[in-house]
Amino acid sequence: MPGQRSNSRREQPLDFTFGHIMPQATEMEKAVLGALMIDKDAYLEVGSLLKPESFYEPRNQLVYAAIQRLSMEENPVDVLTVTNQLAKMGNLEEVGGPVYIAELSSRVATSANIEYHANIVAEKYLSRQMINYAGTIGRKTFDETYEIREVIQEAEGTLFELSQNSMKKDYSVLAPIVDKAMEKVKIAHANKGGITGISTGYFKLDDITCGWQNSDLVIIAGRPATGKTAFALSLAKNIAADQKIPMAFFSLEMSDVQLANRLMSNVCMIEGHKLLSGQLDTSDWMRLDKKMSKLLDAPLYIDDTEGLSVMDLRSKARRLVKEHGVKLIMIDYLQLMTASGMKYNSRQEEVSLISRSLKGLAKELDIPVLALSQLNRGVESRNGAEGKRPQLSDLRESGAIEQDADMVIFLHRPEYYELYMSEDGVDYKGKAEVIISKHRKGATGIVLMTFKGEYTRFENYDDQTMANCPPTEGGEIRGDNDMLFTQEEYDPFKLAAMNGLRDE
């Protein structure tokens, strides 16, 4: 019946690409190639925008590849040199011989419009990539052998790769940049403490860093059991709980409840195993009662998604900044992240893309991004106190991490390696070194801190606290919580315990 025939036709899969011509601009391609051969400086304008596959016409791809080779080797680019280069590459006859090269050169009289033409060629190439990616994703969506979540991740990855490759930032005139820099100088001058970013909560560290700076990628690295997570949680306590600055904590290793337990231990100064077992004594309950309000009011947003991808991170981070005004992002830790949906020759290549993406995210959102990172085993093979100190070459899986980071901080606990005394007599027991090995905007150095592993907590080194809290005119000493003590009462090694029983 006619009605049945009509229904059977509607049930057939439709090919929406039938009869469509792939986006192309071959005349623009020829205009670009012709301009490149009449102006020796033209390649500088389009070299970062175009690559051989940007051209739709295969012979135009070959001609551009020859021009690209000549330009990279700083050789002249004209009809004769391009013809000769194509001959050396074995592609001259394939493009149509010297006649085609001469024809390209004769098509344009000036290179004035080359950037405009090149942008059209680049956009057409991007459109073709989108069509190819959409076709691949569509076929895999129909194929039941693929898990739909894997297909979604691949779609995210390919779109991310496209967006990264297509971004081209233009230059800026110096004057407005200088004005913007001067505004920051004035703000810094008005701040007598010298902190221009988000305070770390550690005065010696702030002296060197001036706080965590907007658009910076900060890598905090260390070997297992050196206290990376404890340091991250101490920073979260200092920033979100003490200063009430909104921040996001992406935990790829621990659950949100585990993090909460560690934060309670850190803020309330109650040993972790007591919280886990519930065996709290009277003083523990007092501290818990007095300190929990600070933790409950903290604008700290925790995400414990396992195997978080860079695409997921970017979308979640944008939403957190827009909806909650997040001013800093912490990631624990970098090597547990993935760049799903893309293929890599090695894990190093994938980690390189992740670190580059984190730097891009910091710049895009204009906030600090702090990422914890593992170190390789090179530290373990070296001997002596100096040998055990981490170095930039110890960063695990990728040298790109060092390259992308604005600051690289290492955590080092000599006591972990059974080193209890430095050569100049510093007692290393219960101490940790925060080593600033790379600082793109300032100085490097080592800050000694007190490490309280039972509370997963880093504190200002007590002796430094004493040195930076000189007696008042009445002979009293002002502690970190602004309380006054007589010199007889002030015991720097008991101050932290006293603080745990008082409101800060």
Side-chain angles (χ1 to χ4, degrees), residues 5-23:
R5 188 167 59 247
S6 176
N7 288 337
S8 65
R9 284 179 180 175
R10 282 199 297 268
E11 291 172 358
Q12 297 300 316
L14 300 178
D15 182 2
F16 292 103
T17 64
F18 179 77
H20 288 191
I21 299 175
M22 290 293 274

Side-chain angles (χ1 to χ4, degrees), residues 467-483:
N468 283 271
C469 299
T472 64
E473 291 182 1
E476 297 170 309
I477 294 173
R478 189 178 301 276
D480 280 348
N481 60 352
D482 223 28
M483 296 178 61

Side-chain angles (χ1 to χ4, degrees), residues 27-41:
E27 292 303 311
M28 294 294 181
E29 292 179 4
K30 293 176 181 178
V32 169
L33 295 175
L36 287 169
M37 286 189 283
I38 65 172
D39 185 348
K40 62 183 180 64
D41 296 324

